[in-house]
Amino acid sequence: MKKIPVLEIFGPTIQGEGMVIGQKTMFVRTGGCDYRCSWCDSAFTWDGSQKAAVMDAASIVEKLYEKGTNLFSHVTISGGNPAIHPGIHSLIEELRNQGIQTAVETQGSIWAEWMIDIDEVTISPKPPSSLMKTDWEKLDYYINRLERRPNKAFSLKIVIFNKEDLEYAAEVHTRYPNAPMFLQVGNDDLTEKEAGMLRDHLLERYEWLISETMDDARWNDVKILPQLHTLLWGNKQGV
């Protein structure tokens, strides 16, 4: 059984992003990522500043119940990019056998066969402000595979920092018109320690994103979201 580098297991809390925003969930955050986004809010998963514990699926599930007891029925696997870890397949099986639903977010750069079994897959390709380049062929493959899953959900989520990001999101939406899409305002102040100050700033940014999309018919079928956990807890880790 392949093991998984785990940086943190926490919850129950609420999912703050994408199509499962507001969902009560536990989190398993894995280490490692194939991207180095300029504004990454979880750079500790790949920059070496925090050390991961290498765990097997059974140990992860045990820790989930230790922390969450009977107060959860949903687990979010996050990173970094969880898709780089084949051992997650065993974790999904363990959770499914216990009736626990699963969700994951990935940028769609590396395909993992266990994506087929995840209940809710969020694909979050990175816009120009990230300084990363989208491999459209790989993203096409992701969408094609996920569209054929029976009784499973997937969506696209683009983090928006500026108008160039918004145009990138329009390109993604045009390329995959049948995929549910969410636009989410990005957190551009990762150093602010006062949650209230950050909340006011991010609400202003959210208002800006709403104003940019309301008079544009390209966004008629897209949902515009804040990053809910930052409004509640600011830049605090593990919530």
Side-chain angles (χ1 to χ4, degrees):
M1 182 180 294
K2 294 183 178 179
K3 294 188 176 182
I4 305 163
V6 177
L7 279 160
E8 53 183 352
I9 296 172
F10 63 92
T13 184
I14 54 109
Q15 171 59 258
E17 306 186 12
M19 66 178 171
V20 287
I21 191 168
Q23 170 71 51
K24 184 181 180 182
T25 190
M26 296 290 292
F27 273 86
V28 176
R29 187 182 297 280
T30 62
C33 191
D34 54 315
Y35 274 22
R36 300 290 185 270
C37 295
S38 63
W39 36 250
C40 181
D41 61 1
S42 52
F44 61 89
T45 61
W46 49 261
D47 67 5
S49 61
Q50 296 186 28
K51 187 176 181 179
V54 180
M55 305 174 69
D56 60 25
S59 298
I60 294 172
V61 172
E62 182 180 354
K63 182 63 72 172
L64 283 165
Y65 279 110
E66 179 184 313
K67 288 181 173 289
T69 64
N70 67 339
L71 300 176
F72 71 99
S73 59
H74 187 278
V75 170
T76 300
I77 304 166
S78 65
N81 184 5
I84 66 180
H85 304 302
I88 288 176
H89 183 264
S90 298
L91 176 59
I92 297 164
E93 286 187 337
E94 291 260 0
L95 293 170
R96 184 174 56 203
N97 290 341
Q98 299 189 42
I100 304 296
Q101 288 195 308
T102 53
V104 72
E105 180 175 323
T106 177
Q107 56 263 42
S109 56
I110 297 173
W111 174 256
E113 278 300 315
W114 52 257
M115 289 286 171
I116 296 298
D117 297 318
I118 291 274
D119 294 297
E120 297 150 344
V121 177
T122 295
I123 310 171
S124 183
K126 306 308 178 188
S129 63
S130 71
L131 305 183
M132 298 292 106
K133 297 293 184 182
T134 299
D135 186 323
W136 295 105
E137 185 175 344
K138 289 180 179 178
L139 194 54
D140 288 347
Y141 184 79
Y142 248 90
I143 298 295
N144 181 263
R145 292 296 303 273
L146 294 176
E147 282 183 332
R148 291 183 284 160
R149 300 189 315 158
N151 305 315
K152 303 284 187 180
F154 85 97
S155 67
L156 287 158
K157 186 200 78 179
I158 313 290
V159 179
I160 305 297
F161 285 85
N162 54 43
K163 290 186 178 182
E164 187 179 10
D165 288 352
L166 201 53
E167 288 307 307
Y168 169 85
E171 182 180 1
V172 174
H173 190 40
T174 298
R175 192 178 185 100
Y176 312 113
N178 297 321
M181 175 173 272
F182 297 80
L183 302 183
Q184 184 171 293
V185 67
N187 179 4
D188 59 357
D189 189 351
L190 300 177
T191 61
E192 177 58 63
K193 297 187 183 303
E194 174 55 49
M197 293 286 291
L198 182 61
R199 182 184 306 121
D200 290 346
H201 171 66
L202 292 179
L203 285 173
E204 289 179 3
R205 297 293 298 154
Y206 184 41
E207 184 178 12
W208 167 81
L209 182 56
I210 290 172
S211 69
E212 288 293 318
T213 54
M214 288 303 101
D215 293 330
D216 189 334
R218 294 178 298 177
W219 307 119
N220 286 359
D221 300 317
V222 170
K223 293 180 175 63
I224 316 298
L225 298 178
Q227 197 178 43
L228 187 57
H229 57 282
T230 58
L231 297 182
L232 292 170
W233 298 297
N235 288 316
K236 186 177 180 181
Q237 184 181 336
V239 290

